[in-house]
Amino acid sequence: MIECGLADRLGRLMALTEEERAALDALDQRRREIPRHGLIRAQRSATDQMFVLRAGSAICYVILRDGCRQIHRIHYPGDVIAAPCASFNKSLETVAALTDVVVSTFDKMMLGSLFEQHPRLAALFFLIGQVERAAISDRLTSIGRTTAEARVGALLLDKLNRLRMIGPRVGSSFKLNITQEGIADAVLTSLIALHDV
């Protein structure tokens, strides 16, 4: 199982100082293991805590009015899970373990002092947020414009590329860890579901 902390992940994007790495490691102290299909955070629950996925994979999803599940994001080690929730008092989506996972939890108020003391990290978090925004924009653009096969292919390539970012030894194959139903929930995106992100 690939394991990657926040400092490891961000350190692959930018050379970190010892102080920056120590500050990120401070967010990574309280760890807990959650079994496959276990709930990490429920939709509409309090968002005073944030999570870093250290090992395994997790999904963020909403349940739509018709009862269908819409997966917004699949998370891999090193990801800050459900980062948009930092701006809200209640969670916009449910986060569940797709495999057995290890997460680190920290109080979201710690981000304020982190960004104040380490402006380069604040800039990096902002840029990662813009990458996420671009990914959502790409998904919106593809609705109705690409075939189901193309959307599944994009999902698989996204997973491969993200796994290679955290595990340089990842070759051209990987364990999918998601059911056909999960793939459908991730690629058959509706405008309503993406509007709620």
Side-chain angles (χ1 to χ4, degrees):
M1 182 182 292
I2 297 173
E3 186 164 333
C4 182
L6 190 55
D8 300 323
R9 170 77 184 281
L10 297 182
R12 289 185 175 95
L13 301 174
M14 174 178 81
L16 300 175
T17 66
E18 288 183 23
E19 293 80 13
E20 289 168 338
R21 184 169 285 277
L24 291 169
D25 285 342
L27 301 179
D28 213 3
Q29 298 302 311
R30 296 185 323 206
R31 297 182 189 172
R32 63 183 173 124
E33 296 180 7
I34 299 169
R36 182 176 183 222
H37 302 305
L39 196 62
I40 299 171
R41 173 185 281 157
Q43 192 171 343
R44 296 184 195 84
S45 64
T47 59
D48 55 330
Q49 297 293 306
M50 294 193 63
F51 306 90
V52 175
L53 184 62
R54 291 199 51 85
S57 54
I59 54 173
C60 291
Y61 65 89
V62 296
I63 301 298
L64 303 175
R65 290 185 189 105
D66 63 2
C68 292
R69 177 179 69 169
Q70 176 60 62
I71 295 175
H72 287 168
R73 190 75 169 140
I74 301 173
H75 287 287
Y76 302 104
D79 284 356
V80 176
I81 300 175
C85 293
S87 304
F88 300 95
N89 293 326
K90 300 285 184 185
S91 177
L92 302 175
E93 51 201 357
T94 295
V95 184
L98 195 56
T99 65
D100 292 342
V101 300
V102 177
V103 296
S104 297
T105 63
F106 63 93
D107 189 316
K108 73 178 181 181
M109 300 308 287
M110 293 175 72
L111 285 179
S113 59
L114 176 76
F115 293 165
E116 185 178 333
Q117 294 170 16
H118 302 282
R120 284 183 356 126
L121 294 178
L124 189 54
F125 271 80
F126 172 78
L127 292 174
I128 290 170
Q130 293 307 304
V131 169
E132 292 285 326
R133 183 179 177 277
I136 290 170
S137 179
D138 284 347
R139 287 180 69 191
L140 277 172
T141 302
S142 73
I143 293 172
R145 303 287 183 202
T146 59
T147 65
E149 291 86 357
R151 283 179 273 172
V152 170
L155 178 76
L156 296 174
L157 287 173
D158 177 65
K159 177 167 184 167
L160 180 61
N161 288 332
R162 292 175 69 204
L163 288 175
R164 284 179 174 167
M165 283 179 59
I166 57 175
R169 294 187 179 142
V170 172
S172 58
S173 65
F174 54 85
K175 191 170 182 180
L176 193 54
N177 294 326
I178 189 168
T179 64
Q180 282 183 307
E181 180 183 14
I183 291 171
D185 291 345
V187 301
L188 299 176
T189 306
S190 70
L191 286 168
I192 294 171
L194 282 174
H195 179 71
D196 291 338
V197 172

